[in-house]
Amino acid sequence: MTRLNTNDYRALFLNDVPLMDMRAPVEFVQGAFPMSESHPLISDTERQAVGTCYKEQGQEAALNLGHSLVNGELKAARVAEWKAFCEANPTGYLYCFRGGLRSQISQQWLKEAGIDFPYVEGGYKALRRFLIDTIDEAAQLPITIVAGNTGSGKTIMINALNQGIDLEGAANHRGSSFGRYVSEQNTQINFENNLAVQLIKAQDKGCQRLVLEDEGRVIGSANVPLSLYQSMQQAEIVKIIDPLDVRLGRLLDDYVIRMQRDFVDQYGEEQGWTLFETYLEHGLRGIHRRLGHERYEEVLAHLRSALSIQRQTGEVDAHLLWLSPLLQEYYDPMYEYQLSNKESRIVYSGTYDEVMAWLQRRA
């Protein structure tokens, strides 16, 4: 049965439908979708040459140039790559920038190879517009903000709730000086795309109120969309109040145990350890002015000692000697000051379990 081209953008994102991106690699890197793979019709240099030809000589000349650049073995190799994607993803679709010539040419070449594969009408531009509109529409829903000092488990809570929207997950950054992951942070476009897909799925579950973590406008290098951020600034707040030792345990697991493991898994034992140590020292250096030179040097000494012990014995408790003052002398006072300006919006406070139960009852 022949599948038709589609403009049901919501269904594509809701069902994680595999997408084959026919745009040039440079376009894909700037922004794509969570379920898309790059399988370009033309390379970056070919795209540049065709674009120049189009401006100077028109569409027909540009098409002829494109066909002359991609033919023979090169064309066969690209079509074979597309065919493999189509066979592995029989429910998928292909798309180019506007759902125009590149989609139609790719579809025709696949048809000549015996594969009937549909494309997304309107292409990347229409999909992107749909996601931006989704964020702006979702920003009009009631919102609850989860607040709490560093280590309160706010992100864990967000991900455990059906109505939770994980801004840090969408950005692939935890929003602090130590916030980066082993993998690169998402581009602004990919952050917005990932965020919009979360919103689509939350609303499909019937969520009428969104729950988000208390965040600033910027998460790493990603900016929270203005419409959503403005709504967050007016939203009610629930505050997690957990003891210091509980919060330190979460930080130890998140920033030390998991990050060390992830660096080693990604880069191997020796390089992974080096990059892990650099990550922690770089994070500390990012706030050294706030700590003051003398205190920074003391905390840095504890950090380096803890890393040495961890590497030699596997023990991680020595990290508490620098994590504890970092919380008590830097993060806690800073966050409490920021939250004091929002005191009138706090509607509930309690331990992690109490706040979780409150939010679940509310849902």
Side-chain angles (χ1 to χ4, degrees):
M1 179 179 175
T2 299
R3 292 189 303 126
L4 301 176
N5 300 331
T6 187
N7 60 7
D8 190 348
Y9 310 132
R10 179 180 175 81
L12 293 175
F13 293 116
L14 189 59
N15 299 308
D16 295 324
V17 175
L19 298 174
M20 183 162 59
D21 191 321
M22 317 310 295
R23 298 175 303 154
V26 66
E27 296 173 282
F28 184 86
V29 169
Q30 290 169 353
F33 307 109
M35 59 285 197
S36 61
E37 291 183 17
S38 178
H39 296 280
L41 170 64
I42 52 178
S43 68
D44 292 337
T45 54
E46 292 160 356
R47 173 176 174 263
Q48 187 175 18
V50 170
T52 301
C53 182
Y54 181 87
K55 289 177 183 177
E56 295 176 352
Q57 301 177 48
Q59 185 183 80
E60 186 175 350
L63 276 171
N64 291 334
L65 175 60
H67 283 292
S68 69
L69 290 172
V70 185
N71 59 47
E73 291 183 3
L74 180 59
K75 175 182 174 181
R78 289 185 188 171
V79 172
E81 184 181 308
W82 305 343
K83 188 176 179 181
F85 177 92
C86 298
E87 290 172 345
N89 302 283
T91 61
Y93 292 82
L94 63 85
Y95 68 89
C96 64
F97 185 67
R98 291 189 179 87
L101 281 173
R102 281 186 284 182
S103 288
Q104 294 163 25
I105 291 169
S106 302
Q107 191 180 62
Q108 181 59 38
W109 288 2
L110 278 167
K111 192 170 291 186
E112 292 168 1
I115 298 285
D116 196 356
F117 205 70
Y119 66 79
V120 178
E121 295 174 3
Y124 170 85
K125 190 174 182 181
L127 291 167
R128 173 78 174 139
R129 181 73 260 166
F130 173 76
L131 293 182
I132 292 172
D133 290 344
T134 294
I135 294 173
D136 290 340
E137 290 165 8
Q140 305 306 311
L141 291 172
I143 292 174
T144 300
I145 299 296
V146 177
N149 286 334
T150 301
S152 296
K154 300 184 290 292
T155 305
I156 298 171
M157 182 177 291
I158 291 295
N159 282 295
L161 293 164
N162 282 338
Q163 68 271 39
I165 303 299
D166 185 4
L167 292 169
E168 294 183 357
N172 197 40
H173 196 284
R174 287 166 292 204
S176 70
S177 182
F178 296 89
R180 61 156 294 197
Y181 288 97
V182 174
S183 55
E184 290 295 319
Q185 178 170 7
N186 287 329
T187 64
Q188 178 68 29
I189 290 174
N190 285 350
F191 164 58
E192 293 168 358
N193 290 347
N194 291 347
L195 171 60
V197 172
Q198 282 192 56
L199 290 166
I200 290 168
K201 292 181 177 181
Q203 290 176 276
D204 186 66
K205 295 173 185 175
C207 296
Q208 298 300 312
R209 175 180 291 274
L210 304 176
V211 181
L212 294 91
E213 184 172 344
D214 191 16
E215 298 282 0
R217 178 73 199 278
V218 180
I219 304 174
S221 60
N223 290 289
V224 177
L226 183 59
S227 60
L228 184 61
Y229 183 70
Q230 289 175 334
S231 294
M232 291 170 64
Q233 297 309 106
Q234 307 299 319
E236 66 178 25
I237 296 173
V238 293
K239 181 182 179 182
I240 302 171
I241 305 174
D242 265 356
L244 179 64
D245 62 328
V246 173
R247 294 191 290 123
L248 284 171
R250 292 193 186 106
L251 290 182
L252 194 63
D253 183 62
D254 201 16
Y255 291 96
V256 175
I257 297 172
R258 293 186 184 182
M259 288 298 287
Q260 186 274 338
R261 181 193 62 208
D262 290 349
F263 271 112
V264 169
D265 286 348
Q266 181 73 24
Y267 296 101
E269 187 73 19
E270 194 61 35
Q271 187 182 7
W273 263 104
T274 299
L275 292 172
F276 168 60
E277 291 168 348
T278 300
Y279 150 75
L280 287 180
E281 291 198 19
H282 183 269
L284 186 61
R285 189 160 56 249
I287 58 173
H288 78 279
R289 290 183 180 177
R290 296 288 187 95
L291 291 173
H293 179 72
E294 184 175 344
R295 193 61 173 130
Y296 166 73
E297 291 294 338
E298 292 174 359
V299 174
L300 179 61
H302 284 307
L303 169 58
R304 287 174 172 169
S305 175
L307 284 167
S308 177
I309 293 169
Q310 183 185 5
R311 192 162 189 175
Q312 291 174 28
T313 68
E315 294 294 325
V316 297
D317 286 350
H319 283 283
L320 297 174
L321 294 176
W322 68 271
L323 282 171
S324 183
L326 209 62
L327 280 191
Q328 296 182 83
E329 298 172 25
Y330 174 69
Y331 281 111
D332 285 1
M334 178 183 67
Y335 189 76
E336 288 295 345
Y337 172 75
Q338 293 171 348
L339 196 58
S340 68
N341 297 319
K342 312 171 188 176
E343 197 74 33
S344 63
R345 291 161 49 203
I346 298 177
V347 297
Y348 185 80
S349 298
T351 65
Y352 178 96
D353 290 339
E354 289 168 344
V355 171
M356 173 65 87
W358 189 91
L359 288 170
Q360 288 173 332
R361 288 195 301 272
R362 191 83 180 286

